Amino acid sequence: MISDFATFDARFPLGAGAGSDAIHRNPVYSYAVTQLKDDGGHTGTGLAFTLGQGNELVCRAAAFYAEQLKGHDIEELMADFGSTFQRLSNEQQFRWLGPHKGVVHLALASVTNACYDLWAKKRGVPLWKLLTDLSPEAVLNTLDLSYLEDVLNREQALRLLQACHGSAHTRSGILQQGYPGYDTSIGWFNYTDEQVRENTRRAVGEGFTAMKLKVGAADPLRDIRRAHLVREAAGEGVKVMLDANQQWTLPQALEICEQLKGMQPYWIEEPTHPDDVLAHQTLAAAIAPLRLALGEHVPNRVVFKNYLQTGCAGFIQVDAVRVGGVSEFITISLLCRQYGVPVVPHVGDMGQLHQHLVLYNHIALDHPALFLEHIPHLQPHFVYPAQVAGGIYRTPLEPGSSCDLKMYARS
Amino acid sequence: MISDFATFDARFPLGAGAGSDAIHRNPVYSYAVTQLKDDGGHTGTGLAFTLGQGNELVCRAAAFYAEQLKGHDIEELMADFGSTFQRLSNEQQFRWLGPHKGVVHLALASVTNACYDLWAKKRGVPLWKLLTDLSPEAVLNTLDLSYLEDVLNREQALRLLQACHGSAHTRSGILQQGYPGYDTSIGWFNYTDEQVRENTRRAVGEGFTAMKLKVGAADPLRDIRRAHLVREAAGEGVKVMLDANQQWTLPQALEICEQLKGMQPYWIEEPTHPDDVLAHQTLAAAIAPLRLALGEHVPNRVVFKNYLQTGCAGFIQVDAVRVGGVSEFITISLLCRQYGVPVVPHVGDMGQLHQHLVLYNHIALDHPALFLEHIPHLQPHFVYPAQVAGGIYRTPLEPGSSCDLKMYARS
């Protein structure tokens, strides 16, 4: 039984230039941490990720949700978590502050993720194993499909889960091989050209075959120069992604993407405002076959549904610490499977949580195992940091979701 | 010069059933209040509206924005408020918590509205007069049009403002006539049939020619029964609006709206999730010529742009205490003018602020003077409560935006 909880406001200033992009010039990587404690001695840790200021608001909102879980048994909760998620996310007074977006939804992510962590720890297995061992019916019961009825009702969702389930064992080889990573830290916005060039060479040397550069400069020539610089240093065989972090207007994006085509980017990420579904639709049509990656700032399954309905997303970058946690992440992954769009999560939590979820998506939902973003800055703070070697995430084996921070770990 | 500020968490429990709808069964009407104090002795009061829990989060976020206005002169700020708005709403660490939605954007509304109130008080005029007296260029300088460039750039916006400006004097008769109101308090969700019938007759007796009923019951027959009950009590000449408060799924909405057509509703409001642009598009096409009203929970100009682009909105219910305050309200009203869609604001703040803004919209932007929602429950708490008689809002004449609460007013 969940007997108590705590929240923590953890902030980690980064080194010079690290984490910077066209919009966020000086981020402080931060976690709004929820710990759920049960009377069996287990502690479930859930994270939401922010850039510093306001992290305390997420912690306070998380306490509001966590309070409502006291007295519940985690197995009982997870047997019907879809209902719990629906109830919490529609708690009527908090709902006004969203609905299903912003501070309250980040807070729900933190609490939801703590539930999944506690569940896996109590069963003594890594989260990916818990999830992949669930029956299609049991998975369905953890999901809230409301407002998706026009494209994915419960019956369709169950059929889809069942259809993938039969062949799951054929995809479990990924556990031994490890999941490919891509390196985002070669090309932070504030890094000099020389740093970017060196980082690119280092990443290739370490075995990465995909990497990302931040673009969105006031002067497009800077973007074009640096994109070609990365291409040159990485070689033709490496996938290079370009990330504008919402910086462009639609007219700018239309013009600049055309100019960036020459260096053959694998995708263009977050070209403009994350709420602007129709701008992405226009842009995607104009730059095809070059594809868009989006979703890092998309708050919930309803907006993702609209993005998928327009067909503008080449890759969906749902983040389990921005949408309402693991539950809604899986809902959106299922929706993407329905539309045949690959999921390449945004990694606000440094891959700790998402390394489990991409294994689930590949094995149980038959998503392609593309690659998972890798950002190493906060690894030293975790009890079980993600292990990435040769550009590959090694499958985590510790019980839970690998989100315990050393500073709050119980001895 | 703005020398200090304060925020207040003001909550007002309502009487039995008042304020209830299909989603929000037990709201506590609340304001996150920002007061900006200048060294000339003026106090600018801005409100955001919530339903209780979490109001303190909005207050804390408002303090973050208000702090950044200290030391600025209000006239200097408002001469280029578009830039200030853009800077505040993109403050990089807070932006992660949105962007432009949820708790942080509600907080920005509160602070922005305090700026407009202070500006009008310092000039000694009601807000509607300050706004209608501004030149098109001066209005444009208060707006942030970023992410609208594909449909309304600065040049287009200026031309539109100028085009309406010439004929503004021909619409100033509204000031003497007063702005029509409509009564939402006849049909709260928890009211009995008998209460609804009595309230309807009372409203008609008071002179209201438009009123609203809350629908979205688990049993659609309840909705249909009550809708016909209001029609019968109100008579054929009265406009009756039906408000589902997001309760329906798209398949439900398609079916129920068809059944509700018989009582000739003037609009169907918030049929489903406020993020679901494409569901509204599908529904609007299916039920035409019956029209949709939407926007109460739409957080910013970018999402409104998408709604307008799809052509699904018959009426736009932007709320100046949910979007980023008066500035973004005017931006969205301008966008609506461009698309020829009328603005009928949601009245979270009981009409105190919006009575000014609809006068501005009619006189300066040449929007039709349809009617403004009227909800009387919190009127006794205001220093200058909105005066509604014979179903008509009397034009407010006190300096400012009429948002001072008695409990925080300086003697």
Side-chain angles (χ1 to χ4, degrees):
Chain A
M1 196 188 72
I2 296 168
S3 53
D4 202 5
F5 72 89
T7 64
F8 303 99
D9 176 358
R11 307 191 189 198
F12 306 95
L14 302 178
S20 57
D21 62 48
I23 294 269
H24 312 94
R25 302 300 172 97
N26 185 27
V28 175
Y29 276 14
S30 301
Y31 296 124
V33 184
T34 300
Q35 282 194 348
L36 298 174
K37 298 168 191 190
D38 81 356
D39 50 11
H42 294 288
T43 301
T45 299
L47 306 179
F49 178 74
T50 81
L51 294 190
Q53 291 275 10
N55 198 52
E56 77 283 5
L57 302 176
V58 181
C59 290
R60 290 171 68 105
F64 169 80
Y65 290 123
E67 180 68 37
Q68 301 183 46
L69 300 181
K70 274 191 190 171
H72 289 275
D73 176 73
I74 191 65
E75 286 287 350
E76 165 227 328
L77 270 182
M78 303 315 292
D80 184 28
F81 193 75
S83 300
T84 300
F85 183 89
Q86 189 171 27
R87 181 173 59 78
L88 292 179
S89 67
N90 290 308
E91 199 290 328
Q92 56 165 350
Q93 296 186 4
F94 250 44
R95 192 186 190 282
W96 190 268
L97 306 173
H100 314 138
K101 55 178 72 70
V103 166
V104 297
H105 213 53
L106 290 164
L108 184 58
S110 180
V111 174
T112 295
N113 293 337
C115 288
Y116 279 84
D117 188 60
L118 180 58
W119 193 21
K121 282 177 179 161
K122 194 153 180 199
R123 291 197 177 183
V125 295
L127 180 60
W128 62 261
K129 177 156 174 58
L130 182 152
L131 294 173
T132 53
D133 284 351
L134 292 176
S135 70
E137 292 77 7
V139 171
L140 187 63
N141 287 341
T142 65
L143 308 181
D144 171 16
L145 302 180
S146 55
Y147 294 117
L148 303 181
E149 299 80 2
D150 49 324
V151 303
L152 186 73
N153 62 28
R154 282 183 67 85
E155 201 174 304
Q156 292 167 314
L158 184 60
R159 277 205 302 272
L160 189 52
L161 286 164
Q162 286 168 335
C164 303
H165 190 68
S167 58
H169 64 281
T170 65
R171 292 181 295 275
S172 59
I174 192 77
L175 298 168
Q176 280 69 50
Q177 295 159 29
Y179 201 93
Y182 76 81
D183 190 347
T184 292
S185 298
I186 64 149
W188 293 116
F189 193 83
N190 291 351
Y191 284 175
T192 64
D193 287 8
E194 198 41 53
Q195 278 177 292
V196 172
R197 188 180 288 111
E198 275 173 33
N199 289 341
T200 302
R201 290 183 182 142
R202 179 192 42 69
V204 171
E206 284 174 6
F208 284 100
T209 57
M211 51 203 65
K212 192 153 80 186
L213 175 72
K214 296 293 184 179
V215 294
D219 175 10
L221 294 180
R222 180 186 195 254
D223 291 344
I224 294 163
R225 181 185 73 241
R226 287 160 68 94
H228 282 280
L229 177 161
V230 172
R231 170 58 69 213
E232 196 180 325
E236 290 303 315
V238 167
K239 293 184 174 72
V240 179
M241 288 80 85
L242 303 178
D243 185 357
N245 287 88
Q246 317 168 24
Q247 180 69 335
W248 296 322
T249 68
L250 176 57
Q252 286 173 331
L254 286 164
E255 189 175 329
I256 297 169
C257 287
E258 206 52 52
Q259 295 179 296
L260 288 168
K261 273 183 172 174
M263 61 72 68
Q264 296 180 288
Y266 187 65
W267 73 46
I268 302 286
E269 180 171 339
E270 278 209 308
T272 188
H273 199 288
D275 295 345
D276 203 338
V277 175
L278 299 185
H280 284 83
Q281 186 179 24
T282 300
L283 181 62
I287 67 171
L290 178 52
R291 285 176 291 180
L292 299 180
L294 61 91
E296 163 180 343
H297 272 77
V298 173
N300 60 52
R301 66 193 177 280
V302 178
V303 185
F304 275 111
K305 179 180 73 169
N306 275 201
Y307 271 112
L308 289 164
Q309 288 175 300
T310 64
C312 67
F315 306 88
I316 285 289
Q317 300 180 295
V318 52
D319 185 338
V321 301
R322 174 165 300 273
V323 299
V326 172
S327 171
E328 196 168 18
F329 178 97
I330 294 177
T331 300
I332 292 159
S333 297
L334 197 59
L335 204 56
C336 290
R337 185 64 181 69
Q338 167 105 331
Y339 281 91
V341 177
V343 174
V344 184
H346 172 253
V347 164
D349 69 342
M350 315 299 105
Q352 295 295 129
L353 176 58
H354 288 107
Q355 62 182 334
H356 294 266
L357 301 180
V358 292
L359 291 173
Y360 171 76
N361 272 359
H362 178 58
I363 296 172
L365 300 188
D366 197 11
H367 268 295
L370 282 179
F371 41 44
L372 178 62
E373 186 166 21
H374 174 57
I375 303 179
H377 306 306
L378 297 193
Q379 285 203 350
H381 301 287
F382 284 97
V383 177
Y384 298 105
Q387 302 292 319
V388 179
I392 306 283
Y393 275 87
R394 203 178 303 162
T395 298
L397 298 175
E398 64 278 6
S401 64
S402 313
C403 287
D404 280 309
L405 289 158
K406 286 179 185 167
M407 58 203 293
Y408 307 122
R410 296 171 139 191
S411 60
Chain B
M1 195 188 73
I2 295 168
S3 53
D4 201 5
F5 72 89
T7 65
F8 303 99
D9 175 358
R11 306 191 190 198
F12 307 93
L14 301 178
S20 57
D21 63 48
I23 293 268
H24 312 93
R25 302 299 172 97
N26 186 26
V28 176
Y29 277 15
S30 302
Y31 297 124
V33 185
T34 301
Q35 282 193 348
L36 298 174
K37 299 166 192 191
D38 82 354
D39 49 11
H42 293 288
T43 300
T45 298
L47 306 178
F49 178 74
T50 81
L51 294 189
Q53 291 275 11
N55 199 52
E56 77 282 6
L57 302 176
V58 182
C59 290
R60 290 172 66 105
F64 169 80
Y65 291 123
E67 181 68 37
Q68 301 183 46
L69 300 180
K70 274 191 190 171
H72 289 274
D73 176 73
I74 191 66
E75 287 286 351
E76 166 227 327
L77 270 182
M78 303 314 291
D80 184 28
F81 193 74
S83 301
T84 299
F85 184 89
Q86 187 170 29
R87 180 173 59 77
L88 291 179
S89 67
N90 290 308
E91 198 291 327
Q92 56 164 353
Q93 296 185 5
F94 250 43
R95 192 185 190 282
W96 189 268
L97 306 173
H100 315 136
K101 56 178 70 70
V103 166
V104 297
H105 214 53
L106 290 164
L108 184 58
S110 180
V111 174
T112 294
N113 293 338
C115 287
Y116 279 83
D117 188 60
L118 180 58
W119 193 20
K121 282 176 179 162
K122 196 153 179 196
R123 290 196 178 184
V125 295
L127 180 60
W128 63 261
K129 178 157 175 56
L130 182 151
L131 293 173
T132 53
D133 283 351
L134 291 177
S135 70
E137 293 78 8
V139 172
L140 186 63
N141 288 340
T142 65
L143 308 181
D144 172 15
L145 301 179
S146 55
Y147 294 117
L148 302 182
E149 299 80 1
D150 48 325
V151 302
L152 186 72
N153 61 29
R154 282 183 67 85
E155 202 175 301
Q156 292 167 313
L158 184 60
R159 277 204 302 271
L160 189 52
L161 287 164
Q162 286 168 335
C164 302
H165 190 69
S167 58
H169 64 282
T170 66
R171 292 180 295 275
S172 59
I174 193 77
L175 298 167
Q176 279 70 49
Q177 296 158 31
Y179 200 93
Y182 77 83
D183 189 346
T184 292
S185 298
I186 64 149
W188 293 117
F189 193 82
N190 291 352
Y191 284 177
T192 64
D193 287 9
E194 199 40 55
Q195 278 177 293
V196 172
R197 189 180 288 112
E198 275 173 34
N199 289 340
T200 302
R201 289 182 183 143
R202 180 192 41 71
V204 172
E206 285 174 5
F208 284 100
T209 57
M211 50 202 65
K212 191 153 81 186
L213 175 72
K214 296 293 183 178
V215 294
D219 175 10
L221 293 179
R222 180 187 196 255
D223 290 346
I224 294 164
R225 181 184 74 242
R226 287 159 68 92
H228 282 280
L229 177 160
V230 172
R231 169 59 69 214
E232 195 180 323
E236 289 304 315
V238 167
K239 293 184 173 73
V240 179
M241 288 80 85
L242 303 178
D243 185 358
N245 288 88
Q246 317 168 24
Q247 181 70 335
W248 297 323
T249 68
L250 175 57
Q252 286 173 331
L254 286 164
E255 189 175 328
I256 296 168
C257 287
E258 207 53 52
Q259 296 180 293
L260 288 167
K261 272 184 173 174
M263 60 73 67
Q264 297 181 287
Y266 188 64
W267 72 47
I268 302 285
E269 180 171 339
E270 278 207 309
T272 189
H273 199 287
D275 296 345
D276 202 339
V277 175
L278 299 185
H280 284 82
Q281 186 178 25
T282 300
L283 182 62
I287 67 171
L290 178 52
R291 286 175 291 179
L292 298 180
L294 61 92
E296 162 179 344
H297 272 77
V298 173
N300 60 51
R301 66 192 178 281
V302 178
V303 185
F304 275 112
K305 179 180 72 170
N306 275 202
Y307 271 112
L308 290 165
Q309 287 175 301
T310 64
C312 67
F315 306 88
I316 286 289
Q317 299 181 294
V318 51
D319 185 338
V321 301
R322 175 166 298 275
V323 301
V326 173
S327 170
E328 195 168 19
F329 178 97
I330 294 176
T331 300
I332 292 159
S333 296
L334 197 59
L335 204 55
C336 290
R337 186 62 183 70
Q338 167 104 332
Y339 280 90
V341 177
V343 174
V344 184
H346 172 253
V347 164
D349 70 340
M350 314 301 104
Q352 295 296 127
L353 176 58
H354 287 107
Q355 60 183 335
H356 294 266
L357 301 180
V358 291
L359 291 173
Y360 171 76
N361 272 358
H362 178 59
I363 296 172
L365 300 188
D366 198 10
H367 269 293
L370 282 179
F371 40 44
L372 177 62
E373 186 165 20
H374 174 57
I375 303 180
H377 306 304
L378 296 193
Q379 286 204 351
H381 300 287
F382 285 96
V383 177
Y384 297 104
Q387 301 292 319
V388 179
I392 306 284
Y393 276 86
R394 203 179 302 162
T395 298
L397 298 176
E398 65 276 7
S401 64
S402 312
C403 287
D404 281 309
L405 288 158
K406 286 178 185 166
M407 58 203 292
Y408 306 122
R410 297 172 139 190
S411 59

